[in-house]
Amino acid sequence: DVKVTQSSRYLVKRTGEKVFLECVQDMDHENMFWYRQDPGLGLRLIYFSYDVKMKEKGDIPEGYSVSREKKERFSLILESASTNQTSMYLCASRLSWPSYNEQFFGPGTRLTVL
Amino acid sequence: AQKITQTQPGMFVQEKEAVTLDCTYDTSDQSYGLFWYKQPSSGEMIFLIYQGSYDEQNATEGRYSLNFQKARKSANLVISASQLGDSAMYFCAMREGFQGAQKLVFGQGTRLTINP
């Protein structure tokens, strides 16, 4: 079974702190994704990576950066956390081929910025 | 412009009834695909069903089927004989992008509640 793990289920940080959210997958997937989920807005893509060291901005990249140095790990970085980044963060991964492959999701990290 | 629209924020259904969750999409691509995911209160995202734009038949997976109407750009999820465990958020999503670097665009979701 594919497993996608995220470093924390719950995280509380203070405004201005640098925050790292880690995601690891164990199935050699090329593609990895970071989403944030807010009520009434569904899942919105922050960044994705289609291979090691490759990254693409999603729909809401402002205030975030990412790092993918190894195939299995994709990190989301909040350079200076703000209260409007309080949200649920979901990581996902998938094989790049074939196109009907679904994304597998991690359990999520609920981040609160005070 | 919204690419995926789920117009039902919440739905309440009696146990054992069938339920249809609406999803409309907007794309100018000829090749695309539509996914449905379930998110129970525990938070994990569970893949349910996939429909490709060139698939001639509607997708089915157990009690789940997808009512795909290409001309109307709709991809509604049908759950037959609903169960209490079907209570969850349901998300419709469309894949876009080039081969090898495809991403999903999600709708706002529908919260389904099954009443005993």
Side-chain angles (χ1 to χ4, degrees):
Chain A
D1 273 355
V2 175
K3 194 161 186 181
V4 181
T5 57
Q6 295 183 228
S7 48
S8 306
R9 286 304 300 270
Y10 299 93
L11 209 53
V12 180
K13 295 292 182 180
R14 297 214 171 267
T15 303
E17 281 192 76
K18 191 169 185 175
V19 181
F20 293 86
L21 302 182
E22 306 284 341
C23 175
V24 177
Q25 50 93 5
D26 66 357
M27 284 300 291
D28 205 34
H29 287 173
E30 295 90 357
N31 299 165
M32 295 189 74
F33 308 83
W34 274 107
Y35 296 90
R36 64 176 282 175
Q37 182 179 3
D38 300 288
L41 297 178
L43 278 70
R44 293 180 292 166
L45 183 65
I46 305 171
Y47 268 96
F48 70 104
S49 167
Y50 50 89
D51 212 336
V52 180
K53 297 190 187 292
M54 310 299 283
K55 59 186 179 185
E56 292 283 338
K57 291 180 180 179
D59 299 316
I60 52 165
E62 297 78 17
Y64 304 93
S65 62
V66 290
S67 172
R68 191 161 179 211
E69 295 296 317
K70 293 185 177 182
K71 194 173 187 179
E72 67 270 18
R73 188 180 297 270
F74 192 34
S75 304
L76 180 69
I77 303 153
L78 287 65
E79 295 289 342
S80 178
S82 63
T83 54
N84 63 12
Q85 292 177 311
T86 291
S87 186
M88 170 69 87
Y89 290 86
L90 291 166
C91 175
S93 72
R94 70 181 285 271
L95 281 170
S96 60
W97 174 263
S99 58
Y100 54 77
N101 278 339
E102 74 266 33
Q103 292 185 9
F104 293 86
F105 284 82
T109 295
R110 187 166 293 282
L111 173 68
T112 301
V113 183
L114 302 175
Chain B
Q2 194 77 20
K3 291 187 178 181
I4 294 284
T5 303
Q6 296 181 251
T7 56
Q8 307 150 311
M11 284 193 69
F12 295 84
V13 172
Q14 284 299 119
E15 191 180 6
K16 298 181 184 175
E17 288 184 355
V19 56
T20 297
L21 305 181
D22 295 341
C23 173
T24 58
Y25 59 91
D26 183 25
T27 182
S28 55
D29 292 344
Q30 296 300 307
S31 175
Y32 54 89
L34 296 145
F35 296 78
W36 277 92
Y37 280 85
K38 172 184 178 182
Q39 187 181 45
S41 57
S42 54
E44 78 267 33
M45 294 283 284
I46 302 167
F47 165 71
L48 295 178
I49 196 165
Y50 171 81
Q51 179 83 43
S53 57
Y54 292 121
D55 293 342
E56 293 185 352
Q57 299 208 349
N58 286 343
T60 60
E61 287 287 348
R63 293 187 299 113
Y64 304 108
S65 60
L66 206 151
N67 183 1
F68 182 48
Q69 298 188 41
K70 201 168 178 177
R72 298 178 65 181
K73 293 188 174 179
S74 74
N76 298 339
L77 178 71
V78 180
I79 306 174
S80 64
S82 57
Q83 302 170 356
L84 296 178
D86 294 332
S87 293
M89 282 290 289
Y90 288 81
F91 291 99
C92 179
M94 179 174 66
R95 64 168 170 82
E96 61 177 23
F98 57 91
Q99 189 62 259
Q102 293 176 331
K103 57 182 182 178
L104 292 182
V105 178
F106 284 83
Q108 311 94 313
T110 296
R111 182 171 297 281
L112 175 64
T113 302
I114 307 297
N115 295 316

